[in-house]
Amino acid sequence: VGKIPTETVVSAWANMLLAQRLALSSIERALKGAALPPLAWYDALWEIERAGAPGVRPFELERRIRLAQYNLSRLLDRLQRAGYVKRAASRDDGRGHVVAITASGRELRRRMWSVYAPAIQEAIGERLSPAEVKALDRLLRALVRHSAGAGGDG
Amino acid sequence: VGKIPTETVVSAWANMLLAQRLALSSIERALKGAALPPLAWYDALWEIERAGAPGVRPFELERRIRLAQYNLSRLLDRLQRAGYVKRAASRDDGRGHVVAITASGRELRRRMWSVYAPAIQEAIGERLSPAEVKALDRLLRALVRHSAGAGGDG
DNA sequence: AAAGATTGATGGATCAATCTTA
DNA sequence: TAAGATTGATCCATCAATCTTT
């Protein structure tokens, strides 16, 4: 039997949904306005770029960006078709492969950040004082920390 | 030219994305586990129920739950087909209509809440102290407040 | 049998165009 | 012309099934 949340807990949840929806839609609008791909591409490219030259296994990516396996599979298809990543058979494990970013992928990631970063600043940085941002970061971190184990999508 | 966010601003944003993704997927999992429809149905039913007997215009709903017009139009189609809402021509305005909840719609909303509420408690209430929840609510409210005007989806 | 990954089918979200009345 | 609302086409997300290698 689950416990009932207080009014404040429900309010915090509702405001989190709303705040994120507002921020996300303004960020996506900014990206589209600059003729750039959606945010999901950024997340994937960023993690793949961080993995460097050896590349990264899809199942690793899956955990880092919290995307279901089949979902990631098709996102990688699109990124590959557009020339932003390359797939190569894994030496260690015959079942899988490794994904690496290309030069144009790095370039796209950089261009996306030049739009994404100011949009984050506008949605968060300009609406709270530095101390408030720090407090918010701390509270959200606490929410994430305790659920490290729990599933993402699958 | 947009300003660059600080590290803390970016961190807060990333943790917000992650925290919400984790909470949402556990909530959706709980609903599915109880053979109930997705969260979007709850939001719509709740606002329609709040509107009471006279019903509510879709363009009003659109603003309250922040859903694009075409998106809402199809969600209402599904709710209507399932018998949870009714549409009727508007007396005041020949262009539009009003939407009202049915008895089985109210019943579904109530059943969904009995799963949704404990899931919110688990995701937020049990991970922060009451004082922390209050602080989080206040900060998120500030993020929302300043963007009251800005667009939702369309 | 389980892990890594993909695929066919289906439903939902989005864009652009459309329709009706204000 | 603009507001309220819907629809056809298309793209993405999701489910279930499948394939290969461990």
Side-chain angles (χ1 to χ4, degrees):
Chain A
V1 287
K3 288 218 200 95
I4 294 306
T6 65
E7 287 269 334
T8 315
V9 168
V10 175
S11 169
W13 170 243
N15 283 311
M16 184 161 154
L17 283 175
L18 188 50
Q20 183 165 323
R21 204 172 311 179
L22 289 167
L24 268 180
S25 70
S26 100
I27 287 167
E28 295 281 14
R29 195 164 36 240
L31 288 170
K32 180 175 305 184
L36 290 168
L39 203 49
W41 289 40
Y42 184 87
D43 290 339
L45 286 174
W46 176 234
E47 284 300 335
I48 297 169
E49 183 170 347
R50 278 162 56 92
V56 60
R57 297 288 298 275
F59 78 94
E60 273 296 333
L61 269 181
E62 185 198 329
R63 276 155 204 173
R64 299 208 189 129
I65 66 185
R66 234 98 195 180
L67 219 54
Q69 213 171 28
Y70 48 78
N71 219 333
L72 177 59
S73 181
R74 283 178 166 138
L75 176 54
L76 290 175
D77 284 349
R78 282 171 242 143
L79 289 169
Q80 185 176 35
R81 237 181 295 127
Y84 298 129
V85 306
K86 280 181 306 187
R87 287 196 252 214
S90 167
R91 298 291 185 273
D92 308 329
D93 188 336
R95 292 171 301 181
H97 54 242
V98 290
V99 185
I101 197 166
T102 65
S104 77
R106 262 187 296 273
E107 210 264 332
L108 176 67
R109 215 267 315 154
R110 205 175 39 69
R111 270 191 301 140
M112 289 185 79
W113 181 243
S114 79
V115 171
Y116 190 12
I120 295 173
Q121 173 62 11
E122 196 184 329
I124 310 270
E126 281 168 18
R127 286 161 200 221
L128 298 176
S129 73
E132 286 173 324
V133 171
K134 211 174 162 197
L136 179 63
D137 184 43
R138 193 195 131 260
L139 291 166
L140 292 170
R141 219 179 264 275
L143 286 183
V144 170
R145 188 178 320 121
H146 297 137
S147 55
D153 274 272
Chain B
V1 286
K3 287 217 199 95
I4 294 306
T6 64
E7 288 269 333
T8 314
V9 168
V10 175
S11 169
W13 170 244
N15 283 312
M16 185 161 154
L17 283 175
L18 188 50
Q20 184 164 322
R21 202 171 314 178
L22 289 167
L24 268 180
S25 69
S26 100
I27 287 167
E28 294 282 14
R29 195 163 37 239
L31 288 171
K32 180 175 305 186
L36 290 167
L39 204 48
W41 289 40
Y42 183 87
D43 291 339
L45 286 174
W46 176 234
E47 285 299 335
I48 297 169
E49 183 170 348
R50 278 162 56 93
V56 59
R57 297 288 298 275
F59 78 92
E60 272 298 332
L61 268 181
E62 185 198 329
R63 275 154 204 175
R64 299 208 190 131
I65 66 185
R66 234 97 195 180
L67 217 56
Q69 215 171 28
Y70 49 78
N71 219 334
L72 178 59
S73 181
R74 283 180 166 136
L75 177 53
L76 290 175
D77 284 348
R78 281 171 243 141
L79 289 169
Q80 185 177 35
R81 236 180 295 126
Y84 298 128
V85 305
K86 280 181 306 187
R87 287 196 251 214
S90 168
R91 297 290 186 275
D92 308 328
D93 188 336
R95 293 170 300 182
H97 54 242
V98 291
V99 185
I101 196 166
T102 65
S104 77
R106 262 188 296 274
E107 210 265 331
L108 176 66
R109 214 269 314 154
R110 206 175 40 66
R111 271 191 301 138
M112 289 185 79
W113 180 244
S114 79
V115 171
Y116 190 13
I120 294 173
Q121 174 62 11
E122 196 184 330
I124 309 271
E126 282 169 17
R127 287 160 202 225
L128 298 175
S129 73
E132 286 173 325
V133 171
K134 210 173 161 199
L136 178 63
D137 183 43
R138 193 195 130 260
L139 291 167
L140 293 170
R141 219 179 265 274
L143 286 183
V144 170
R145 188 179 320 122
H146 298 136
S147 55
D153 275 271

